[in-house]
Amino acid sequence: MECEPRMPPYRPGPVEDRLGERPCPAALLATFFARQPPPQEYGFEIVGYHRYRNPDDGSPEAVVEFRLLPPGGHGFGPDLRVCERPNAAADMQIQFTYDKDTQRWFDLDSRGATIPSEICETRNYWTAQDIADFADPPQFGRLSAAERGNVHDVGKGAERRAILDAVREANADLNDRIPIVFVVELLRSDGEHAFFRGQVRMRNGGGPVSATDWGECEQDPRDGVVEALLERRHGRWRALKSNRCADDVLLNNDEMQRYRLLLMEE
């Protein structure tokens, strides 16, 4: 496929999936469209292409950003946007990874939409910082004291107990069925807000909670993860959001940027 930024409507057909390690973004989109075709008669324009190496194993990865072009040039503005007031430069972003064993590219994740009725309502997009973090994931431990500011990992003490009590209160339906404790994976605070991620165990015996007690969720309670965003107001911690279901998204894109230091891996 030619490396053209603006492409006509996609026509289903044979797709070459052995694209090499430096493919054109349009070729990557063709592999995605073969599995999930864009709307009929809509063209598309590539507005961003980012290639990088996975920091863990060095495998090639890429992000392609594109927007749809309505049929007959009936879009809004000079760029013929689907939405009169679009939420982002792109209508959809797709992350791809290259499998060296099969020499094929696969789409990993996406943001945005290709369904015209949904595009205007979609607000969850990767920022330039998010995409940069794919290539070089930031680590809290590498930041300077000035970069960290008031943000700190919460050690043993009153603050830790108060935050965990608030997480337990946010999961009161579960704690009422079976008293629980937490195995902390991440607990970080700036004094006003905090983020918790960890696993749940029974207070008596330390074993995993049964699926019946856990409730209706996609996660297996044996290794299910609980997350919570908390706020300290009038000296008391409370959960603004809490989630123990893998099919739910805890934070929107704006919140992920606002609390970036709290969420950052060690």
Side-chain angles (χ1 to χ4, degrees), residues 4 6 9 60 62 74 84 94 132 167 177 190 208 213 224:
E4 298 291 341
R6 181 169 286 206
H74 295 304
E84 185 174 9
I94 308 174
V167 177
R177 288 190 289 272
D190 62 8
D213 286 329

Side-chain angles (χ1 to χ4, degrees), residues 80-107:
L80 302 180
R81 300 303 299 274
V82 176
C83 304
E84 185 174 9
R85 296 180 178 83
N87 293 315
D91 294 327
M92 193 170 193
Q93 306 165 307
I94 308 174
Q95 182 185 18
F96 295 88
T97 188
Y98 181 73
D99 182 77
K100 293 182 179 178
D101 293 334
T102 62
Q103 297 181 20
R104 289 180 171 88
W105 285 86
F106 299 93
D107 54 285

Side-chain angles (χ1 to χ4, degrees), residues 171-180 200 209 213-215 244:
N171 291 273
D173 63 313
L174 174 58
N175 191 61
D176 288 345
R177 288 190 289 272
I178 181 77
I180 57 174
V200 177
V209 176
D213 286 329
W214 185 263
R244 64 174 186 266

